[in-house]
Structures are given as structure tokens and as C-alpha cells.
Amino acid sequence: MKDARPPFEDAIRSFRKFASDNGKPTDFLWISQDCVRVVLGRVWIFCPDDLVGDRYAERFYESTRSGESSIKLIGIKEMGSRYIVGVEKMPAPPHHPMQFYMSLHKSTNFRVRYVTNRLVWTLLHCFPSFSRRDRRIRDQISLNRSIDRSLP
């Protein structure tokens, strides 16, 4: 099967055009697994300003590209003039191998809150996140298959 996953730079260029063509901002704010928590039906993002760079996104994208998984760049929600985005690894199987996808959430049924205080972030971990709604939101933003900042 032909590999349809372009290098990261080309993928970002395509995704910026895709976002722009759909009226979304092209200044991206990359989220990763360790900086997002879903609690009480809300998505909490820790220190969004630290996530502006795409170093971890590129590393995760390219490490996924070295295998057979498909890759999806996903736009999640607007934050002022920025757009919260992530990279989703889509393992093969069950997904087709080596494909490149882009998607934008048209409407979200969750609120995004930003946390800059480490104490508040730590306290959020005290709340259980087992509700059906929280699981559905985590699935919508593909949190379990998104950027892992612990990659070398």
C-alpha cells in the first residue's frame, strides 16, 4: 500500500490551508496528553502558552510516520485568534495503514478552560473523570492517541 502521509512540514501547510478554507485560525496551539484533562464535562488545558511550539507535535507525527499507523491532524476548538489542534495516531488495524487525514470539529459540546496555576492543575487530578460524558469528550478529542510529550 502506498504511504499517503506527507512529511510534517507539508502536512502542516495542507492543514493550515484546510483550516483557513473553513474559516478557522491558522495560528495553532498544540495540545498533548499530559496537558489536557477532562473533568466534569469540561476540557482543562494546562499552560496553553507552553504549547504554542510544534516541536512535540512534529516528533510525535514523525515517530508515527515511521510505522504503519495512519495520522490525523485534528482541529478541536478556537481560542481567540488561535486554534487548538492535535495529532492523532490511528493504529492499523483497525484503521487503514499509512493514510493522512485532517478534520475540524464543527461544533463542540464541551467547554475549554485554561489553567496556568500548577496548584489548580494538581487539584484537578483529585476529581475522578469516569463519567460517560467525560469519556465521550476524551474520545472526541482523541486524547488517548494524541501527542505524547515523553517521546525522545
Side-chain angles (χ1 to χ4, degrees):
M1 173 168 265
K2 184 178 182 269
D3 190 345
R5 303 165 301 175
F8 185 73
E9 293 294 323
D10 295 340
I12 294 304
R13 215 175 352 268
S14 296
F15 193 61
R16 282 190 202 288
K17 182 176 179 347
F18 181 60
S20 175
D21 289 349
N22 284 279
K24 302 295 183 188
T26 58
D27 183 13
F28 297 149
L29 179 66
W30 296 92
I31 62 166
S32 60
Q33 293 172 0
D34 61 334
C35 294
V36 180
R37 180 121 171 95
V38 180
V39 178
L40 304 172
R42 289 186 175 89
V43 177
W44 301 85
I45 299 177
F46 182 61
C47 292
D49 291 336
D50 292 344
L51 304 175
V52 172
D54 56 8
R55 182 179 75 212
Y56 294 109
E58 181 174 9
R59 201 176 296 161
F60 182 78
Y61 182 97
E62 291 300 337
S63 72
T64 299
R65 200 168 153 241
S66 68
E68 290 200 358
S69 293
S70 289
I71 302 170
K72 183 193 300 184
L73 296 181
I74 184 168
I76 298 168
K77 193 158 179 99
E78 292 179 53
M79 182 184 99
S81 64
R82 297 155 106 189
Y83 199 38
I84 300 170
V85 298
V87 179
E88 178 184 356
K89 178 180 184 175
M90 301 171 68
H95 302 283
H96 293 291
M98 299 184 285
Q99 298 298 304
F100 175 65
Y101 300 96
M102 298 182 289
S103 72
L104 307 173
H105 283 280
K106 290 295 181 187
S107 62
T108 55
N109 61 351
F110 54 84
R111 297 182 72 177
V112 176
R113 302 281 187 188
Y114 306 99
V115 179
T116 57
N117 183 302
R118 187 165 293 282
L119 178 61
V120 172
W121 182 248
T122 302
L123 289 173
L124 278 172
H125 284 78
C126 296
F127 290 95
S129 181
F130 300 112
S131 77
R132 191 174 283 153
R133 182 166 189 223
D134 288 353
R135 280 194 306 271
R136 193 170 52 247
I137 291 170
R138 272 195 304 276
D139 289 345
Q140 279 182 333
I141 62 175
S142 307
L143 195 53
N144 297 332
R145 297 184 311 261
S146 64
I147 300 169
D148 180 358
R149 294 190 345 156
S150 67
L151 284 172

